[in-house]
Amino acid sequence: MKILAFAASSNKNSINKKLATYAANLAENAEIDIIDINDYEMPIFSEDREKELGQLQQAKDFYQKIGEADAIIISYAEHNGTYTAAYKNLFDWTSRINQKVYQNKAMVILATTPGPGGASSVLNTAVTSGPYFAANIIGSLSVPNFYDNFDSETGKLSNQALNDELKAIINKL
């Protein structure tokens, strides 16, 4: 199985990237491809820009990465209760190639924040809207208080209950 994993964040030291990476590595016998959405940065989407520029190569490359995967793990950062601007822009450009962005791939949706909310607002948005974009969501998990529940030295969830829940979700892939 080939797993594509990434954080829906442009932060170079993203806690969501740490969580997505950890989750992907829980899958047994998987080929893992961790990407950084900064590698797909594009101008802010608008219909005017699309008419001027056409379908951008970065969006085509991102869409192809999804297509090459058997499963996808995304961990969402939350900005003001919703997607980061960086991810939303990438998603918007990619959705113009095909509205079925996620291509019916098995998906695990995660989210974390340093605070107690665990990015639950953006997680709910992603879970609710995902099926409209051909997401086959196998499971989702919010990790609140990241620094209290994740050991950055070992790169693993230190909260046993959250860790068990994540393992159970990953085992469904």
Side-chain angles (χ1 to χ4, degrees), residues 120-145:
S120 57
S121 292
V122 72
L123 183 67
N124 182 57
T125 299
V127 168
T128 303
S129 68
Y132 295 106
F133 303 100
N136 176 13
I137 300 171
I138 302 301
S140 64
L141 180 66
S142 168
V143 177
N145 303 309

Side-chain angles (χ1 to χ4, degrees), residues 27-143:
E28 294 182 21
N29 302 314
E31 178 185 336
I32 300 165
D33 186 8
I34 309 287
I35 63 170
D36 185 331
I37 67 167
N38 289 304
D39 295 336
Y40 302 90
E41 190 171 329
M42 294 171 274
I44 298 295
F45 177 81
S46 72
E47 288 184 8
D48 293 336
R49 281 200 180 102
E50 182 183 35
K51 286 176 187 170
E52 176 188 339
L53 302 171
Q55 293 179 340
L56 297 182
Q57 189 61 48
Q58 298 95 317
K60 291 177 187 178
D61 292 347
F62 182 69
Y63 185 76
Q64 181 177 341
K65 281 280 188 187
I66 292 170
E68 292 169 351
D70 298 309
I72 304 165
I73 298 172
I74 305 174
S75 190
Y76 289 90
E78 184 175 270
H79 288 186
N80 298 318
T82 192
Y83 302 111
T84 64
Y87 182 71
K88 181 69 167 81
N89 192 54
L90 174 57
F91 182 85
D92 287 346
W93 277 105
T94 305
S95 72
R96 300 300 278 201
I97 295 168
N98 184 341
Q99 183 182 356
K100 306 299 183 188
V101 171
Y102 299 120
Q103 304 172 50
N104 296 307
K105 304 297 179 169
M107 292 181 66
V108 173
I109 307 293
L110 308 170
T112 191
T113 59
S120 57
S121 292
V122 72
L123 183 67
N124 182 57
T125 299
V127 168
T128 303
S129 68
Y132 295 106
F133 303 100
N136 176 13
I137 300 171
I138 302 301
S140 64
L141 180 66
S142 168
V143 177

